[in-house]
Amino acid sequence: MEDTGKVSAGGLLGALLRWLYPPVCLLCRAPGAGDLDLCPGCRGDLPWFGHGCPACARPLPPGAGPLCGACLKRPPPFDATHALFHYAAPVDRLITGLKYRGRLSHARLLGELWASHAPVTDPPDLLLPVPLHPERLRERGFNQSLELARPLSRRLGIPLETGLLQRVRPTRAQQGLKGKERRRNVRAAFEIAAGTVPAHVAIIDDVMTTGSTVGEIARQLKRAGAERVEVWVLARA
Ligand SMILES: [Zn+2]
Ligand SMILES: [Zn+2]
């Protein structure tokens, strides 16, 4: 009952399902508000991302900027980063539940919240979820970035692309690696597989720590002809 991911949330069937299974807060089991599996109290506890560096979304103190020191010294390969949340409670719990316990309902909730706060003044031509290596995909059964991108694509009307980019080399988990090691770890991990890279692309990822993974993808996209590459992350660590 937890994950009815294949059933459309719209239309008559959606209305029937909502009547049969009214929204329940995924964090505290209280009744959800509107169509969301989130209660108003828990919504108020979400660690919304505030002011950050427009290039890399490192948190900046109010009034500081425009760019953070790191981006001034060494501009990242992408043009902008938009973060929805800080990687903090209770969003961290929702993300680990999705990734390591297969709670796809968490992706639906987080993706819906993301869609209502997405930066759409200059919408990208394409949403590109960070791919998993086929081996990892087999283990996990789904790609969390793709699951988060689905509601975004549907609500914003921006196409979702999963065949353009492939992870061709398995990488060690980035956790515990330092900046330089992380960059080395993801080098040559991705390849443009087929198709044309549009001018304006948004890379979709669940958590951004140093930005080395999305940086490597942005480099590939630019080399293949993209003019503007944004990074949209659900949570910034
Ligand atoms: Zn709640
Ligand atoms: Zn920065």
Side-chain angles (χ1 to χ4, degrees):
M1 209 179 82
E2 174 81 29
D3 293 311
T4 48
K6 291 199 182 80
V7 179
S8 153
L12 199 60
L13 183 61
L16 179 67
L17 281 174
R18 278 192 294 280
W19 179 74
L20 282 171
Y21 306 109
V24 171
C25 181
L26 295 176
L27 289 162
C28 75
R29 313 311 295 171
D35 276 353
L36 287 182
D37 286 330
L38 187 70
C39 75
C42 289
R43 191 182 179 123
D45 290 339
L46 295 177
W48 299 100
F49 192 84
H51 180 52
C53 169
C56 75
R58 265 189 198 86
L60 287 177
L67 293 179
C68 74
C71 288
L72 281 174
K73 227 166 83 187
R74 179 195 169 113
F78 36 82
D79 298 280
T81 300
H82 302 284
L84 182 64
F85 297 117
H86 293 287
Y87 189 70
V91 164
D92 55 354
R93 185 145 65 90
L94 291 172
I95 293 175
T96 50
L98 165 66
K99 276 165 87 165
Y100 304 113
R101 292 196 305 283
R103 302 272 194 256
L104 293 177
S105 55
H106 294 194
R108 281 199 299 279
L109 170 64
L110 293 166
E112 288 292 332
L113 288 169
W114 205 353
S116 16
H117 293 83
V120 287
T121 43
D122 175 22
D125 305 313
L126 197 69
L127 302 180
L128 186 75
V130 172
L132 291 181
H133 188 268
E135 243 165 66
R136 176 68 61 83
L137 185 62
R138 255 197 310 276
E139 275 165 31
R140 190 170 286 170
F142 62 93
N143 173 355
Q144 71 277 3
S145 297
L146 171 61
E147 296 309 320
L148 288 165
R150 284 187 206 280
L152 271 178
S153 166
R154 197 175 53 237
R155 288 266 305 274
L156 305 178
I158 303 173
L160 188 60
E161 175 59 60
T162 55
L164 183 65
L165 187 76
Q166 272 181 351
R167 201 161 190 141
V168 288
R169 202 166 63 78
T171 47
R172 291 160 61 200
Q174 294 279 72
Q175 236 158 12
L177 298 183
K178 297 222 171 59
K180 213 180 233 163
E181 296 170 325
R182 282 180 180 237
R183 283 198 295 279
R184 198 173 305 137
N185 188 32
V186 295
R187 199 169 295 152
F190 299 95
E191 227 173 65
I192 304 289
T196 316
V197 174
H200 183 178
V201 182
I203 303 168
I204 308 291
D205 206 1
D206 55 343
V207 182
M208 177 170 171
T209 308
T210 62
S212 44
T213 302
V214 287
E216 180 59 26
I217 294 174
R219 260 188 292 272
Q220 295 272 349
L221 291 171
K222 292 253 168 137
R223 226 174 276 148
E227 283 158 29
R228 182 173 173 80
V229 177
E230 294 174 15
V231 178
W232 292 11
V233 286
L234 181 73
R236 183 66 160 103

